[in-house]
Amino acid sequence: MQNHEITKVLVSEDEIKQIVRRLGEEITAHYGQLERELMVVGLLRGSFIFMADLVRQINTPLVVDFMTLSSYGDGTVSSGDVKVVMDLDSSIEDRDVLLVEDIVDTGRTFSKVIRMMGNRNPRSLKVCTFLNKPDARIADVRIDFCGVDIPNEFAVGYGLDYAQGYRNLPYVGVLKAD
Ligand code: PRP
């Protein structure tokens, strides 16, 4: 359903462009020239738009893979129950891996995935998120590349959904409460 009102813009289209460009520069500078391509892993579904923009701003040879997780169901409050719906296609063993998220909210999703990925013996493992909600944090996660901090409000757009809607908004906004 996509018929709720957006009450406020949290991150505009122009700000998104600047943030993604800056993250691409930081990531490019960090990795430099690797022996094997960087493996960029997007967590679906929320990261698909950010991931598409981000990889085009990284000036290092890379490959992409995706994993589908689910933590919220169709509600607006994190359930804490993180499920792997679809695993990666490729092995990350001995690879330089960059995990990409649209948002770190409670941190439960990232902390679980970081643990899971760490057990697969990557050469290195770094994490990047477009949005960060520090006030909602429950699980401790180290974020290596962070787009922007936002307040503890329910954000939609630029890949983030409410009941699967609003992902196509070109900016990040806040939905009017019911
Ligand atoms: C959202 C978001 C992150 C996670 C963040 O995913 O994409 O993966 O929640 O929340 P957390 O830090 O509290 O764990 P969601 O489960 O809604 O699925 P989606 O990616 O399909 O939107």
Side-chain angles (χ1 to χ4, degrees), residues 26-37:
E26 284 177 22
I27 292 165
T28 302
H30 173 77
Y31 287 103
Q33 293 307 312
L34 296 167
E35 274 177 36
R36 275 182 89 182
E37 304 99 332

Side-chain angles (χ1 to χ4, degrees), residues 43-47 68-73 75 78 82 101-110 136-137 159-161 164 167:
L43 303 185
L44 296 174
R45 288 173 248 183
S47 72
T68 307
L69 302 164
S70 183
S71 63
Y72 277 24
S78 177
V82 179
E101 261 287 27
D102 53 337
I103 183 166
V104 179
D105 196 322
T106 65
R108 284 171 167 142
T109 306
F110 241 174
R137 198 71 90 249
L160 287 90
D161 75 305
Q164 299 304 332
R167 293 195 199 269

